[in-house]
Amino acid sequence: MSAPFVLAVPSKGRLQENAEGFFARAGLTLSKAGGARDYRGTIAGLDNVEIAYLSASEIASQLARGMAHLGVTGEDLVHENIADADTRVALIERLGFGYADVVVAVPQAWIDVRTMADLDDVTTGFREQHHRRMRVATKFINLTRAFFSSHGIVDYRIVESTGATEGAPAAGTAELIVDITTTGATLAANGLKILDDGVILRSQANLVASRDAEWSPEARETARIILDHIAARARANQYREVRTRFRQCDAALLSEAHRNFGVEAPFGGPTSSGMLTLHCPPAKLYALASFLRDHGAETVSVVSLDYVFDRENPLFAKLETFLRR
Ligand SMILES: Nc1ncnc2c1ncn2[C@@H]1O[C@H](COP(=O)(O)OP(=O)(O)OP(=O)(O)O)[C@@H](O)[C@H]1O
Ligand SMILES: O=P(O)(O)OC[C@H]1O[C@H](OP(=O)(O)OP(=O)(O)O)[C@H](O)[C@@H]1O
Ligand SMILES: [Mg+2]
């Protein structure tokens, strides 16, 4: 038997629950053979797939080393943990959860420090006055170095912090921090503020592919099937299905609906009896229903879609392009 296809899925932390829900909605049923404490799992119907349950940061490292083919992890961890991320891994799809910003935050009491340029000034002043460099507490060492250097800041030193980073300034172990924030509650509770141009990265969970995994023909076929499920679900989420009987509908009206509401006619214009099926972005449904009735439709019904399988699979196409580069 050929080596298994490895799909890495967060086993704990912020991304775990959402990742499970994401695969379930795509029609991929993940199960842990040995119960909740098992760190290996399977996907129903896909025999050669092994699920590796890992922490989000471990997933980034495994993808970098080619030990998983596909994985779910945060963009922040991809950029922090993978040198040369753009060539080692491909971000195949943003997943719409796990939103978090990596930010530079300083004590609110520093009223004159609002921007990275201000920070540059105070770090230099601090070094001259105290004969030591300002300390930045963070676990995002690589992101911090790159961002500070892009702002020409050199008079600082990193103090590695693996937890409760926001507490470092009050505890006196650092002057400022670089950390992740979603609601801002933890920063506020610790009397810290984000610099105006201090957002290093806006991150969310991504489906990530590894270049160095063993991409055998079987592995590619497995990826195609997994990505087909995910693409069908993603496409279904973007639209609602609108049905009406509407004999007078012609190409001009359809293209007006397309221009005004982003409507697609996946099965072409009306049938001989006038039945018409459209896909419409959720936000434009009422406008479309009004438009159709104004032009002669009597009744317009709307339903949610579970999957829309297209011949084209944009996610697999992205993977293939990346592996060819
Ligand atoms: N409010 C948030 N705080 C921290 N991370 C978040 C938040 N929202 C989303 N995330 C995402 O979740 C990722 C993993 O976060 P989390 O700290 O929950 O994982 P973990 O299981 O503790 O991993 P590790 O043990 O490697 O730290 C983050 O890197 C980020 O991409
Ligand atoms: O902006 P907020 O919404 O307040 O969220 C930010 C906080 O959440 C994360 O910690 P988490 O709770 O994941 O704990 P951890 O540090 O143990 O991972 C992160 O490290 C911040 O401390
Ligand atoms: Mg954590």
Side-chain angles (χ1 to χ4, degrees):
M1 219 176 89
S2 54
F5 181 97
V6 179
L7 174 65
V9 176
S11 60
K12 65 183 190 83
R14 303 275 185 149
L15 303 182
Q16 182 215 334
E17 221 173 292
N18 281 314
E20 270 172 23
F22 163 75
F23 286 110
R25 284 191 301 279
L28 297 165
T29 314
L30 311 191
S31 62
K32 291 184 179 176
R37 287 246 144 232
D38 191 348
Y39 290 112
R40 292 280 145 176
T42 54
I43 300 187
L46 284 174
D47 288 345
N48 205 29
V49 178
E50 185 175 290
I51 312 284
Y53 289 98
L54 300 166
S55 80
S57 55
E58 185 64 12
I59 289 172
S61 314
Q62 298 276 41
L63 288 164
R65 282 185 279 157
M67 293 172 69
H69 293 78
L70 288 178
V72 170
T73 191
E75 265 170 84
D76 55 331
L77 298 171
V78 166
H79 290 293
E80 175 61 27
N81 296 347
I82 309 180
D84 218 0
D86 295 346
T87 65
R88 310 273 37 106
V89 298
L91 303 181
I92 300 289
E93 169 96 321
R94 306 187 133 163
L95 301 183
F97 59 84
Y99 289 100
D101 294 345
V102 180
V103 301
V104 183
V106 303
Q108 285 164 5
W110 296 9
I111 48 176
D112 292 335
V113 182
R114 293 190 196 88
T115 65
M116 291 298 289
D118 297 339
L119 181 62
D120 192 12
D121 293 343
V122 300
T123 52
T124 305
F126 186 96
R127 185 170 194 172
E128 283 161 4
Q129 206 182 332
H130 299 276
H131 307 288
R132 63 178 180 86
R133 288 167 294 169
M134 249 186 197
R135 295 159 301 171
V136 182
T138 190
K139 65 174 173 188
F140 295 99
I141 294 169
N142 297 315
L143 287 175
T144 300
R145 287 209 180 110
F147 190 71
F148 277 42
S149 129
S150 75
H151 283 276
I153 301 182
V154 293
D155 289 320
Y156 71 98
R157 115 184 137 77
I158 288 175
V159 187
E160 197 171 348
S161 158
T162 49
T165 307
E166 294 90 341
T173 53
E175 279 66 44
L176 65 149
I177 68 159
V178 168
D179 202 9
I180 201 156
T181 176
T182 303
T183 63
T186 311
L187 292 174
N190 286 279
L192 301 174
K193 63 174 182 183
I194 303 172
L195 295 181
D196 292 347
D197 52 353
V199 178
I200 300 180
L201 182 74
R202 295 189 195 280
S203 176
Q204 63 174 288
N206 261 258
L207 186 65
V208 184
S210 162
R211 175 186 297 286
D212 294 329
E214 210 184 301
W215 286 104
S216 62
E218 295 77 20
R220 280 170 203 256
E221 177 56 13
T222 301
R224 192 190 63 75
I225 294 170
I226 291 173
L227 294 177
D228 202 24
H229 281 77
I230 292 170
R233 181 68 199 198
R235 174 93 203 263
N237 285 341
Q238 282 161 16
Y239 296 102
R240 300 291 179 270
E241 188 168 280
V242 174
R243 270 181 282 181
T244 187
R245 200 157 84 141
F246 185 11
R247 237 181 263 281
Q248 306 88 311
C249 180
D250 56 15
L253 220 65
L254 283 181
S255 67
E256 193 179 340
H258 177 75
R259 275 197 313 278
N260 293 348
F261 315 115
V263 164
E264 303 290 342
F267 311 118
T271 63
S272 52
S273 67
M275 287 306 298
L276 178 64
T277 303
L278 299 172
H279 286 176
C280 177
K284 299 289 183 189
L285 283 168
Y286 188 74
L288 175 67
S290 302
F291 172 84
L292 293 172
R293 285 175 295 169
D294 288 347
H295 287 83
E298 280 297 327
T299 302
V300 178
S301 72
V302 178
V303 292
S304 297
L305 294 159
D306 288 339
Y307 304 102
V308 179
F309 294 101
D310 280 321
R311 185 174 299 282
E312 300 293 320
N313 178 343
L315 303 184
F316 187 59
K318 214 174 193 179
L319 174 64
E320 283 194 305
T321 307
F322 170 67
L323 293 178
R324 232 181 279 126
R325 274 204 323 234

